Amino acid sequence: METGRFVDMIHRKRDGLVLEAEEIRGMIQKYTAGEIPDYQMSAMLMAVYFQGMTDEELTTFTLAMRDSGDVVDLSAIPGIKVDKHSTGGVGDKTTLIVAPIVAACGVPVAKMSGRGLGFTGGTLDKLESIPGFRVELAQEEFFRAICDNGISVIGQTGNLAPADKLLYALRDVTGTVNSIPLIASSIMSKKLAAGSDKILLDVTTGSGAFIKDIDGSRELAHRMVAIGKGAGKETAAMITSMEEPLGYAIGNSMEVKEAVETLQGKGPEDLKTVCLALAGMMLSLGKNISYDEGVLEAKQALDTGRAYEKLKEMTICQGGDVRYIENPELFESAEITGSVVAAEDGYLAAMNTEGIGVTAGLLGAGRETKESTIDFGAGIYMKKKLGDEVKKGDVIAELFTSEDTRLQRAKEYMQGCITICREKPEVPKLIVDIIR
């Protein structure tokens, strides 16, 4: 592709015209090879930001990013493999619960997860808070674990969607991160490269979600489902509420402990509800049964303890100390503690959930850069949920950190994230919408 021709492409996209599939594929190939300069690709991203893309353009764009690197072949693993991706939130430890439930019901889970920047660690960091747990497995070992146990959660292997890494870095410094087509293509390029047969997307919405308004969340869900369809992969999306932290625990070891307790039948109701819904949809996709049948199977796997046993199997297989799964009280919280209390009588009416996530980061539960060290024991334990009645001085949250200097700043910050009113508020629905 000549530089002059790429300028013409920028002009046409800027003016709202549709790009041809061959042009889009050439653009991604040339940019990945370093043959299109960042300043020109920045202009194209800004044109997309303002003009959007058709479903056909977006599918071609996403598949070109998928094909810019390795595409995992899971065909050697028997059964229909279903992947899950969450757009993230505060207290989101669903993979730790959903994956064992689905595997216990006979649908293999071959999941590649990431590390987190910001509030807390990602799924890999949470798993690594289990002493000895290995998230870096060779492909042969990964496949053997799934064939033997039906489940394995590891870090990304190989060179998946390198074009996405390059484009995301450029979006981050050019003000084009919050473009729904670009978000959708970024997520789906990696999911399609990971090789599963079908995909479930957990699109969070609300104050703790990446996209906070329901219309934007629905648009993102629809665009990603359309990409999946265009790529020949059955894809479903579930929009779930993130108006408050999911469960009570926020922080790596604390979230693993809460996930284990949920698999033992003792977890918070909101976390259990969301996880059963997600697992039910994954089973619907993997077994070609109805969503309601999937939820029923998921509940049986949870209630009988089969899902809990599956987490133990995965932990042993990947070198983790299974005593922490059998006795979750072994997970230690950071030693320096403080409380956030109600400033007045009333009802807990609203939370700045993203701000609560920031508080967890201030305590040391997250990382600011890829090189930052996570304090596995740092975090927050919520004592109240939206709609709960509180008296002045009641503890709303307990904070945990390993550094005195972090505590006071975090307390002051989180105090501003809590809204109390005189009248009991309406509690948001947990499962907002399902898109297939």
Side-chain angles (χ1 to χ4, degrees), residues 156-303:
Q156 285 186 2
T157 59
N159 185 30
L160 298 188
D164 174 62
K165 296 182 180 71
L166 293 170
L167 287 173
Y168 190 88
L170 198 57
R171 289 164 56 205
D172 194 36
V173 295
T174 57
T176 52
V177 168
N178 292 325
S179 159
I180 285 178
L182 296 177
I183 295 167
S185 62
S186 176
I187 291 169
M188 291 299 290
S189 65
K190 296 189 289 286
K191 289 293 102 182
L192 293 170
S196 285
D197 302 304
K198 300 184 181 184
I199 300 167
L200 172 64
L201 303 156
D202 175 12
V203 181
T204 54
T205 192
S207 70
F210 183 62
I211 295 181
K212 304 186 187 315
D213 65 286
I214 183 59
D215 289 341
S217 299
R218 279 201 177 95
E219 183 184 351
L220 177 60
H222 278 289
R223 298 308 299 267
M224 291 194 291
V225 169
I227 291 169
K229 180 180 179 182
K233 301 265 187 183
E234 186 178 357
T235 303
M238 187 168 285
I239 300 177
T240 61
S241 176
M242 192 50 71
E243 292 290 2
E244 64 179 333
L246 188 58
Y248 293 107
I250 308 158
N252 299 280
S253 293
M254 295 166 67
E255 291 189 39
V256 177
K257 180 182 178 185
E258 186 168 77
V260 172
E261 290 170 346
T262 301
L263 289 169
Q264 291 176 332
K266 298 176 287 189
E269 281 302 312
D270 64 330
L271 178 60
K272 178 180 174 181
T273 297
V274 171
C275 287
L276 286 175
L278 293 170
M281 184 56 76
M282 288 181 73
L283 291 171
S284 172
L285 291 168
K287 292 190 165 188
N288 292 314
I289 58 178
S290 72
Y291 168 63
D292 289 340
E293 289 173 314
V295 172
L296 182 60
E297 281 201 27
K299 190 174 186 304
Q300 290 171 341
L302 187 64
D303 292 345

Side-chain angles (χ1 to χ4, degrees), residues 89-413:
V90 180
D92 181 359
K93 71 279 294 178
T94 55
T95 292
L96 305 176
I97 301 163
V98 171
I101 291 174
V102 172
C105 293
V107 172
V109 178
K111 183 154 182 59
M112 296 182 189
S113 290
R115 300 191 182 278
L117 284 176
F119 308 150
T120 63
T123 298
L124 299 184
D125 301 295
K126 293 178 175 71
L127 288 171
E128 284 185 333
S129 71
I130 304 169
F133 196 104
R134 296 167 53 229
V135 298
E136 307 297 335
L137 301 183
Q139 180 173 294
E140 181 182 342
E141 202 174 0
F142 178 48
F143 282 20
R144 190 185 321 120
I146 301 160
C147 290
D148 290 348
N149 303 313
I151 181 172
S152 185
V153 181
I154 64 169
Q156 285 186 2
T157 59
N159 185 30
L160 298 188
D164 174 62
K165 296 182 180 71
L166 293 170
L167 287 173
Y168 190 88
L170 198 57
R171 289 164 56 205
D172 194 36
V173 295
T174 57
T176 52
V177 168
N178 292 325
S179 159
I180 285 178
L182 296 177
I183 295 167
S185 62
S186 176
I187 291 169
M188 291 299 290
S189 65
K190 296 189 289 286
K191 289 293 102 182
L192 293 170
S196 285
D197 302 304
K198 300 184 181 184
I199 300 167
L200 172 64
L201 303 156
D202 175 12
V203 181
T204 54
T205 192
S207 70
F210 183 62
I211 295 181
K212 304 186 187 315
D213 65 286
I214 183 59
D215 289 341
S217 299
R218 279 201 177 95
E219 183 184 351
L220 177 60
H222 278 289
R223 298 308 299 267
M224 291 194 291
V225 169
I227 291 169
K229 180 180 179 182
K233 301 265 187 183
E234 186 178 357
T235 303
M238 187 168 285
I239 300 177
T240 61
S241 176
M242 192 50 71
E243 292 290 2
E244 64 179 333
L246 188 58
Y248 293 107
I250 308 158
N252 299 280
S253 293
M254 295 166 67
E255 291 189 39
V256 177
K257 180 182 178 185
E258 186 168 77
V260 172
E261 290 170 346
T262 301
L263 289 169
Q264 291 176 332
K266 298 176 287 189
E269 281 302 312
D270 64 330
L271 178 60
K272 178 180 174 181
T273 297
V274 171
C275 287
L276 286 175
L278 293 170
M281 184 56 76
M282 288 181 73
L283 291 171
S284 172
L285 291 168
K287 292 190 165 188
N288 292 314
I289 58 178
S290 72
Y291 168 63
D292 289 340
E293 289 173 314
V295 172
L296 182 60
E297 281 201 27
K299 190 174 186 304
Q300 290 171 341
L302 187 64
D303 292 345
T304 59
R306 288 188 290 119
Y308 170 61
E309 292 300 322
K310 193 58 67 175
L311 178 64
K312 287 169 62 177
E313 288 177 20
M314 182 177 76
T315 300
I316 293 168
C317 179
Q318 295 187 219
D321 188 341
V322 76
R323 292 177 301 169
Y324 283 73
I325 308 302
E326 295 170 336
N327 305 285
E329 63 274 10
L330 290 174
F331 287 105
E332 293 184 2
S333 300
E335 294 181 354
I336 299 168
T337 65
S339 299
V340 172
V341 301
E344 57 184 310
D345 294 353
Y347 293 91
L348 187 53
M351 300 187 199
N352 175 356
T353 308
E354 182 176 344
I356 293 172
V358 171
T359 303
L362 293 174
L363 292 165
R367 57 165 68 88
E368 295 179 8
T369 69
K370 290 181 180 179
E371 292 73 34
S372 300
T373 301
I374 286 178
D375 179 354
F376 286 137
I380 303 167
Y381 194 83
M382 302 297 299
K383 291 290 196 176
K384 301 291 182 181
K385 285 285 187 183
L386 289 179
D388 285 354
E389 186 174 9
V390 295
K391 301 293 184 183
K392 183 177 180 179
D394 282 356
V395 175
I396 291 176
E398 294 177 340
L399 312 186
F400 299 84
T401 184
S402 298
E403 300 178 35
D404 280 310
T405 54
R406 290 181 175 272
L407 183 61
Q408 191 57 39
R409 183 183 173 202
K411 280 180 64 175
E412 291 172 358
Y413 189 92

Side-chain angles (χ1 to χ4, degrees), residues 30-85:
K30 295 287 186 181
Y31 181 64
T32 306
E35 297 173 25
I36 293 175
D38 282 349
Y39 60 82
Q40 283 195 311
M41 186 56 81
S42 298
M44 176 61 80
L45 293 174
M46 191 62 75
V48 171
Y49 183 92
F50 284 110
Q51 295 291 358
M53 283 183 163
T54 66
D55 283 345
E56 291 76 14
E57 284 180 298
L58 190 53
T59 298
T60 301
F61 186 75
T62 306
L63 292 177
M65 289 203 293
R66 178 200 67 181
D67 295 338
S68 67
D70 298 336
V71 177
V72 180
D73 181 3
L74 298 178
S75 60
I77 299 170
I80 297 173
K81 282 71 68 178
V82 184
D83 200 356
K84 177 189 82 75
H85 175 82

